[in-house]
Each structure stands twice: as structure tokens, then as C-alpha cells.
Amino acid sequence: MTDPISHFGRKAQIESANRQAVAKGEPRASSPASEGVRPLAPPATDELRLSKIAQEALQEPEFDRAKVEAIKTAIQQGQYPLDSRRIAENFVAIEKMIKG
């Protein structure tokens, strides 16, 4: 049975016939859709062009490396002030966002 819109059944029959013909060394059957159709040109490649501002933004780091290193050193030396209550409150807020 062939789908009247997509001709799916007919395509499957032609492909099956082609596989059998190739296996036997016979010429392939052609589909009505492929008769008189020229091969498609290779697809063009996409190109992305960034503005000068976007290029500059990508070149600059999004954070201050010196500040990050200073904080890391302070944490390792035990000199970075941590507010355990504030940390706990933030964890609770995150849990509430996750649950619902």
C-alpha cells in the first residue's frame, strides 16, 4: 500500500527492488520522483560574522584573574572570612528553587 501524499510505500518498493537488482548485478529501477531531477548543488557553508565589539568581548576574560587568585590564596591560608549563616541561607534558597 502506498501513502498518496508521500508515496512512502512506493519508495520502499523501489529501494527494495534496487537492493535486489544490485545484488543480482542488474540495473537499478528509477523512482518517478527522481526522473528528470538534476542533482542538487552542494550545500553552501554557513558563515558567522561577529561585530568588532563582540570580538573584543570574546578576547577579554569575564572575570578578574588577580582577584580570583587573591581569594584562592586567602582561602588556602584560612584568612578568607566566611559567613556560615549566609551560606546556609543560600543553600536553602537553592533547594527551594530546585523543589518547586
Side-chain angles (χ1 to χ4, degrees):
M1 177 174 226
T2 302
D3 178 8
I5 296 174
S6 68
H7 302 291
F8 179 75
R10 178 70 181 138
K11 288 180 184 178
Q13 290 171 350
I14 291 170
E15 289 173 6
S16 176
N18 283 339
R19 282 193 296 275
Q20 291 172 358
V22 168
K24 293 179 183 177
E26 299 172 358
R28 295 175 149 211
S30 63
S31 69
S34 66
E35 293 175 5
V37 176
R38 289 182 279 155
L40 296 175
T45 57
D46 292 336
E47 183 177 327
L48 176 65
R49 294 184 187 177
L50 297 176
S51 67
K52 195 176 247 184
I53 294 172
Q55 291 173 357
E56 291 172 4
L58 289 174
Q59 297 299 321
E60 297 176 13
E62 295 181 18
F63 58 92
D64 185 355
R65 288 189 193 274
K67 185 174 182 179
V68 171
E69 290 301 320
I71 292 171
K72 281 172 73 174
T73 304
I75 290 172
Q76 289 171 349
Q77 295 174 352
Q79 298 173 352
Y80 191 79
L82 297 175
D83 183 355
S84 57
R85 181 181 181 101
R86 185 171 171 205
I87 293 170
E89 289 171 353
N90 286 328
F91 273 116
V92 169
I94 291 171
E95 287 292 324
K96 286 181 182 177
M97 287 184 350
I98 292 172
K99 290 181 182 177

